Amino acid sequence: MTEKKKIKVAFPHMGTIYIAWSAILNKIGIEAYVPPYTSKKTLSLGTKHSPEAICLPYKLILGNFIEAIEGGTDYVAMITSPGICRLGEYGGCIDSALKDMGYETKYIEMRLYDGIKGMYDFLKRVSGKNDPVLFLRAINLGIRKVFVLDRMESRLSYLRAREIKSGEAEKLYNRALKFIKDANSTRALQKAEKEALALMNQCQIDEKREVLRVDLTGEIYIVCDEFSNQNIMRELGKMGVEVRKSLTVGSFLRDAIIPKAFKKEETHLERAEKLAKPYLMRDIGGDALECVSDVVYAEQRGIDGIIHVSPFTCMPEIMSQNIFPAMREDCDIPILPLIMDEQTGKAGYITRLEAFVDLMRRKKRKLAMANQKKD
Ligand code: SF4
């Protein structure tokens, strides 16, 4: 008897989120089709079929979908949200762009702000099943993987800024990811996280190195996607900077998906509503409210600097970048705004990062000397 062909579903890339998606889909008997990681080819495919002034994430997502369809996926799927920015329009535009190109692959959406129910309905549609126990197990595993991946990335950032042999931390991290990919139950995931961290901790580090601490904020896709942010965390790590992402998929899930009863601490959005208030009174779309509050939060914790990354033409982030100068009166923290698009060249970008690191280092040393004199 021939085995029934599994349905293939592809999601666009954004950092390591494909690991969580794959876990959810595989758990319910669907084949997760992982498109090739975003590359220049992806960008050029997406750009060719996109309106010129649309934001960068749209072009990259469309490029991922084209590559997934060419690779043989049955569905392409993405999350959507109602919203003030263009994200609310992505779905309709992508669907018609794919149809215009003559593709018959089905486009399917997961409504994010419907929380767990949105995820459940999505799984029901793609699988044709209605198995609450199986679906909730799958969602639980996927969400837990997101948090584990966030913790591993933080550890990577710590190690990378202090590693003795350049590139060792990332090599171990890439090997450790395999443990997380292979875990197919929550119990197996707990074991996998321990093994992954133990492997990463084999990296030899210099604990005494003078390390700068930087928060990375901005539009969530650009913050999380290494291709579009030109691997900013790696570049800063090489300069001895430990980077903490202010926006992560995990922080986003805490706000959008996880029911209130399961939230132990204040979420990013809850904090943002409090801290951003003197400068921005309401949500203006995208991640602007969070970004403005992240400057205050970084300053309160004595972080050495904050970098804000955003895509060219992103309205919410243009607004937040225009608020930063007014914040300087209250927040004495160096801020570097970086706007990314398909034209952003690597050399100029690295020069800006180096200059920023230099500025933070001088400020830190000056402060340390002033404190010494006081003592
Ligand atoms: S937040 Fe900015 S980049 Fe992201 S979808 Fe909205 S407009 Fe586009």
Side-chain angles (χ1 to χ4, degrees):
M1 205 170 76
T2 52
E3 216 181 291
K4 202 177 155 208
K5 187 181 161 277
K6 277 190 181 176
I7 296 167
K8 291 184 199 160
V9 178
F11 270 90
H13 278 292
M14 191 173 90
T16 49
I17 193 155
Y18 73 95
I19 296 176
W21 277 124
S22 301
I24 296 176
L25 294 172
N26 293 337
K27 191 96 186 152
I28 65 162
I30 287 179
E31 188 176 330
Y33 181 89
V34 182
Y37 196 75
T38 311
S39 64
K40 283 193 178 151
K41 184 182 165 209
T42 318
L43 176 60
S44 94
L45 281 170
T47 307
K48 192 170 159 201
H49 299 283
S50 301
E52 200 186 331
I54 194 100
C55 35
L56 186 61
Y58 177 93
K59 295 175 185 170
L60 295 174
I61 290 170
L62 183 61
N64 284 153
F65 283 163
I66 296 172
E67 290 190 298
I69 294 169
E70 294 291 342
T73 190
D74 300 299
Y75 284 93
V76 287
M78 72 168 277
I79 50 169
T80 58
S81 76
I84 310 161
C85 81
R86 294 180 193 131
L87 183 60
E89 306 300 320
Y90 271 25
C93 293
I94 286 178
D95 195 18
S96 21
L98 294 176
K99 285 197 178 110
D100 288 348
M101 281 178 253
Y103 291 128
E104 280 169 15
T105 307
K106 292 187 187 76
Y107 167 77
I108 186 161
E109 289 180 349
M110 195 191 86
R111 291 174 55 82
L112 201 61
Y113 283 90
D114 290 348
I116 298 281
K117 186 183 173 298
M119 288 182 98
Y120 190 97
D121 290 345
F122 169 81
L123 297 181
K124 209 163 124 182
R125 277 179 71 196
V126 284
S127 67
K129 297 178 192 168
N130 189 6
D131 185 337
V133 176
L134 179 67
F135 286 4
L136 291 176
R137 271 199 190 134
I139 293 170
N140 184 29
L141 179 63
I143 291 177
R144 283 174 191 269
K145 282 202 181 191
V146 166
F147 293 130
V148 170
L149 292 164
D150 282 352
R151 287 193 285 273
M152 281 174 65
E153 197 170 47
S154 301
R155 188 67 192 158
L156 169 63
S157 185
Y158 176 89
L159 295 170
R160 191 154 45 192
R162 296 165 176 84
E163 67 191 0
I164 291 168
K165 203 167 137 209
S166 174
E168 192 186 11
E170 193 164 326
K171 263 191 210 146
L172 292 167
Y173 166 79
N174 287 332
R175 275 174 54 201
L177 281 180
K178 176 137 187 3
F179 295 124
I180 311 303
K181 283 181 199 165
D182 291 347
N184 64 2
S185 68
T186 48
R187 185 174 293 189
L189 182 61
Q190 275 177 1
K191 190 168 165 258
E193 182 177 10
K194 280 189 194 142
E195 286 171 343
L197 290 173
L199 179 62
M200 289 175 70
N201 288 337
Q202 286 177 14
C203 179
Q204 291 204 324
I205 55 169
D206 175 2
E207 292 274 11
K208 294 201 180 95
R209 184 174 295 167
E210 183 197 44
V211 165
L212 293 168
R213 289 189 304 149
V214 158
D215 279 4
L216 179 66
T217 190
E219 194 269 344
I220 190 165
Y221 182 93
I222 304 287
V223 170
C224 295
D225 181 64
E226 289 165 5
F227 177 82
S228 45
N229 68 32
Q230 304 211 11
N231 218 322
I232 192 165
M233 290 182 71
R234 182 197 290 158
E235 296 306 335
L236 287 163
K238 285 195 247 170
M239 298 174 203
V241 180
E242 183 182 343
V243 186
R244 173 192 162 273
K245 275 183 188 170
S246 293
L247 287 123
T248 61
V249 180
S251 71
F252 179 71
L253 289 182
R254 278 193 194 95
D255 276 313
I257 302 274
I258 299 182
K260 252 193 175 150
F262 294 99
K263 294 177 195 171
K264 290 186 199 129
E265 303 153 10
E266 184 179 54
T267 67
H268 193 188
L269 189 58
E270 285 162 358
R271 187 176 69 228
E273 277 159 0
K274 273 193 328 217
L275 296 184
K277 218 165 218 157
Y279 313 97
L280 185 59
M281 294 299 287
R282 67 173 188 92
D283 183 10
I284 54 165
D287 306 294
L289 199 69
E290 286 91 335
C291 291
V292 169
S293 75
D294 287 342
V295 174
V296 184
Y297 189 55
E299 213 260 343
Q300 285 180 350
R301 287 161 33 249
I303 297 299
D304 297 304
I306 182 159
I307 299 182
H308 177 267
V309 285
S310 65
F312 182 57
T313 79
C314 170
M315 275 316 288
E317 299 315 328
I318 290 173
M319 300 287 280
S320 48
Q321 288 189 355
N322 278 290
I323 294 169
F324 296 154
M327 299 180 79
R328 286 189 203 279
E329 276 185 25
D330 308 319
C331 301
D332 178 29
I333 180 168
I335 309 173
L336 175 67
L338 291 170
I339 297 172
M340 314 300 291
D341 71 1
E342 54 265 50
Q343 312 296 343
T344 307
K346 188 98 181 178
Y349 169 79
I350 299 290
T351 307
R352 290 193 68 190
L353 290 182
E354 282 170 348
F356 187 63
V357 169
D358 199 39
L359 178 133
M360 287 187 294
R361 193 157 277 139
R362 273 187 284 125
K363 186 172 183 262
K364 192 174 180 136
R365 286 180 186 163
K366 213 167 137 189
L367 201 71
M369 274 165 66
N371 286 340
Q372 258 177 12
K373 272 185 196 161
K374 264 193 235 163
D375 298 341

